[in-house]
């Protein structure tokens, strides 16, 4: 039987959409070229952080705030439905600086955030060390974000896929969609090799690969891969009490006990392999932020391709002039944070309800308008 909705891609975004649609009673079929959560999602640090600045569009700030709010209930629901703990934990963040010029910039950033209703503390070096004794004693100052959280991103995607499957969705791994099937101005399904599957709606949630549909839809979908490398460390030392970030990267202890160090931001096309230079930079960063990590052992290195867009905002909505398709891609560096709200908004669109948040700035047609 034909599904009501086909979802292309089973990262955090696609699985979250599949879960919400299945919960709403729709027949959903998900096609994933590799494994559930096997690309950007599985590579991610899984931080659920709000860190707007003066350049953040208000609609994006509203989107992230609402998504962060939805996480706690989602984590509890997934645990109850699937028994999978997605590692949703409070992970207070210390954003540190060892540099005088950077200290002045952080003061300005904090003033702006306080003016915009955020709770962010200021610590001098001694106070920061008191709070997180693992820090480099040369720390000059730190911003403290008490209300930041984290998840285990691969577990998040796996739990969402399981919950969707339990509700009747079909998730096919190792199944690459080659083409969209179109009829007039509608997408009517997808093709995988010689196999065709029809559906009333298709959701393109294939992350960094979403530009593949631009030609069929005669619409620019300028989502590009932006590589991020990560290193995993094992240590018997006391876990870090905080996630620690700096202008050069971050370290944090995950709910499974691992410590991860990230990350790079590289425009190297569809190449998700870690490199000597990338890994060396991260290995140097870890003991600079927390000297005791010099004794940690290296447990792994990996990389993922973030779905970047020209304006840094996701594409969420129907491509101009098309029915039967919704694009939900381009979540760049915050796709884990944006997982819950993206699915709720896609459900609103497919149910032809007014979306609960304004979507104009995320309109997938905005690049065509600019080009014209
Ligand atoms: C190193 C790193 C650290 C990060 N840290 C954070 C963080 O701390 N917090 C945060 O919020 N975000 C973070 N991100 C960003 C976040 O990981 C991404 O924004 C998010 O995972 C995007 O999810 P997605 O489902 O759109 O993409 P993906 O997880 O890449 O999923 C897309 C899926 O589509 C599949 N696919 C592609 N083409 C096809 C096709 N033709 N047919 C079938 N399937 C297809 C792929 O195989 C893939 O599994 C980080 C990213 C990286 C790389």
């Amino acid at each position: 039987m034909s599904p009501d909705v086909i979802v292309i891609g089973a990262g955090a975004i696609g699985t979250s959409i599949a879960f919400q649609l299945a919960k709403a009673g729709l027949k959903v079929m998900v096609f994933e070229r590799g494994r559930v959560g096997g690309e950007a999602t599985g590579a991610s640090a899984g931080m659920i952080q709000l860190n707007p600045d003066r350049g953040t569009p208000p609609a994006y700030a509203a989107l992230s705030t609402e998504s962060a709010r939805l996480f706690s209930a989602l984590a509890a629901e997934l645990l109850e439905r699937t028994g999978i703990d997605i590692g949703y934990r409070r992970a207070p963040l210390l954003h540190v600086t060892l540099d005088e010029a950077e200290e002045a910039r952080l003061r300005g950033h904090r003033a702006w955030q306080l003016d915009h209703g955020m709770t962010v503390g200021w610590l001098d070096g001694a106070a920061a060390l008191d709070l997180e004794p693992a820090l480099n004693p040369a720390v000059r100052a730190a911003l403290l974000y008490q209300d930041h959280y984290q998840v285990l991103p691969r577990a998040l995607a796996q739990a969402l896929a399981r919950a969707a499957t339990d509700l009747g969705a079909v998730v096919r791994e190792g199944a690459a969609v080659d083409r969209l099937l179109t009829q007039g101005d509608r997408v009517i399904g997808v093709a995988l090799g010689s196999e065709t599957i029809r559906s009333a709606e298709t959701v393109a949630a294939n992350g960094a690969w979403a530009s593949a549909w631009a030609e069929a839809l005669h619409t620019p979908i300028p989502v590009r891969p932006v590589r991020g490398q990560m290193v995993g460390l094992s240590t018997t030392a006391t876990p870090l009490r905080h996630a620690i970030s700096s202008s050069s990267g971050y370290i944090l202890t995950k709910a499974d006990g691992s410590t991860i160090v990230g990350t790079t931001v590289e425009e190297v096309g569809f190449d998700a392999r870690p490199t000597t230079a990338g890994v060396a930079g991260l290995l140097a960063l870890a003991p600079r932020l927390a000297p005791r990590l010099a004794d940690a052992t290296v447990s792994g290195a990996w990389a993922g391709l973030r779905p970047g867009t020209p304006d840094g905002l996701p594409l969420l909505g129907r491509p101009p002039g098309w029915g039967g398709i919704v694009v939900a891609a381009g979540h760049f560096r915050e796709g884990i944070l944006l997982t819950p709200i993206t699915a709720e908004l896609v459900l609103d669109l497919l149910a032809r309800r007014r979306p609960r948040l304004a979507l104009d700035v995320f309109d997938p047609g905005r690049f065509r308008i600019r080009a014209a």
Side-chain angles (χ1 to χ4, degrees):
M1 266 226 297
S2 300
D4 299 318
V5 184
I6 286 171
V7 178
I8 309 172
I13 299 298
T15 52
S16 179
I17 291 167
F19 171 52
Q20 290 302 338
L21 300 185
K23 217 165 93 168
L26 293 164
K27 274 192 287 160
V28 182
M29 195 174 269
V30 183
F31 293 104
E32 165 54 50
R33 191 176 48 191
R35 305 293 308 270
V36 168
E39 293 288 348
T41 294
S44 157
M47 293 186 280
I48 310 299
Q49 301 182 347
L50 300 174
N51 194 8
D53 60 25
R54 58 189 78 241
T56 309
Y60 186 80
L63 189 77
S64 358
T65 305
E66 179 59 5
S67 206
R69 192 186 68 76
L70 293 170
F71 248 106
S72 154
L74 178 65
E77 182 175 5
L78 290 174
L79 182 63
E80 195 183 311
R81 285 178 179 272
T82 68
I84 298 174
D85 176 2
I86 64 163
Y88 179 72
R89 306 278 187 277
R90 230 177 112 240
L93 173 83
L94 279 171
H95 184 86
V96 304
T97 180
L98 282 66
D99 174 277
E100 196 175 339
E102 165 90 357
E103 189 180 331
R105 196 192 63 73
L106 290 187
R107 279 190 195 280
H109 181 54
R110 174 172 182 255
W112 184 91
Q113 290 193 328
L114 289 175
D115 280 352
H116 289 78
M118 288 193 63
T119 307
V120 44
W122 179 266
L123 304 174
D124 63 17
L129 273 163
D130 251 9
L131 206 63
E132 180 59 74
L135 279 180
N136 185 335
V139 62
R140 291 188 61 95
L143 298 177
L144 173 62
Y145 298 88
Q146 287 283 13
D147 288 333
H148 282 190
Y149 287 78
Q150 57 161 305
V151 294
L152 294 166
R154 197 183 296 264
L156 169 68
Q158 287 167 343
L160 287 163
R162 173 88 60 83
T165 308
D166 289 348
L167 288 162
V170 174
V171 179
R172 277 178 56 183
E173 293 179 300
V177 171
D178 297 319
R179 274 183 308 118
L180 299 177
L181 303 175
T182 59
Q183 195 170 68
D185 57 4
R186 283 199 75 78
V187 172
I188 54 164
V190 301
L192 297 82
S194 57
E195 185 186 7
T196 57
I197 297 111
R198 288 182 165 242
S199 59
E201 297 278 2
T202 296
V203 181
N206 56 325
W209 296 266
S211 61
W213 320 125
E215 203 178 317
L217 299 172
H218 318 296
T219 302
I221 304 182
V223 180
R224 67 181 196 285
V226 183
R227 184 168 70 191
Q229 301 190 39
M230 301 281 281
V231 165
L233 303 178
S234 298
T235 170
T236 49
T238 326
L240 301 169
R241 294 180 191 166
H242 300 81
I244 302 172
S245 71
S246 73
S247 56
S248 320
Y250 53 78
I251 44 181
L252 77 154
T253 302
K254 302 295 295 178
D256 60 6
S258 61
T259 297
I260 58 173
V261 191
T263 178
T264 60
V265 181
E266 304 163 84
E267 306 265 356
V268 291
F270 288 97
D271 182 349
R273 293 172 297 181
T275 62
T276 320
V279 170
L282 297 173
L283 289 177
L285 174 70
R288 197 157 74 242
L289 292 178
R292 71 179 187 208
L293 289 178
D295 293 334
T297 54
V298 179
S299 55
W302 62 91
L305 300 176
R306 308 174 185 94
T309 62
D311 55 11
L313 302 174
L315 278 66
L316 264 181
R318 293 193 184 277
W322 286 92
I325 181 149
V326 166
V327 178
H331 295 72
F332 193 36
R333 300 195 72 171
E334 299 197 325
I336 304 303
L337 164 64
L338 296 172
T339 289
I341 190 66
T342 298
E344 305 246 353
L345 289 166
V346 169
L347 176 60
D348 287 345
L349 289 170
L350 295 188
R352 299 197 157 65
R353 292 195 293 253
R354 209 174 114 99
R356 63 202 68 190
L357 293 173
L359 289 180
D360 308 359
V361 300
F362 310 117
D363 182 352
R366 67 190 184 273
F367 303 103
R368 194 166 79 163
I369 294 162
R370 269 179 208 169

